[in-house]
Amino acid sequence: MTTQEEFDAASQRAQQLPSKPSNMVLLQLYALYKQATDGDLTGDRPGGFDFKAIAKYDAWNGLKGTSKEAARQQYVELVSELAG
């Protein structure tokens, strides 16, 4: 199980990756972080032409039902992969 300290360290490392991840990976990082910190998404899906907000919403909503602990573990593993 990943500790809060490991998660916090991974959050810091994510800000200093050697290269910028693809947009899909950035969305995955965002969704895992939000799920780990806030839990399941609440609220309505954004409408209109705010495609960035829609993509973020969909990515986070895709993790619905994932425990905070599982999301924290996945986040730490993904950052470790990206950091090399």
Side-chain angles (χ1 to χ4, degrees), residues 21-65:
S22 69
N23 287 338
M24 291 304 295
V25 173
L26 287 173
L27 279 174
Q28 187 178 9
L29 284 168
Y30 169 81
L32 287 168
Y33 182 88
K34 293 298 279 181
Q35 188 71 21
T37 56
D38 297 339
D40 286 345
L41 175 65
T42 58
D44 296 328
R45 186 174 191 253
F49 294 100
D50 192 350
F51 300 117
K52 185 175 180 179
I54 291 169
K56 286 177 150 185
Y57 180 96
D58 289 345
W60 184 6
N61 196 47
L63 295 175
K64 192 172 207 162

Side-chain angles (χ1 to χ4, degrees), residues 1-27:
M1 180 166 293
T2 302
T3 66
Q4 185 64 43
E5 292 76 25
E6 290 171 319
F7 178 74
D8 293 340
S11 296
Q12 292 299 318
R13 278 188 295 160
Q15 302 299 318
Q16 303 165 351
L17 294 173
S19 61
K20 183 179 178 189
S22 69
N23 287 338
M24 291 304 295
V25 173
L26 287 173
L27 279 174

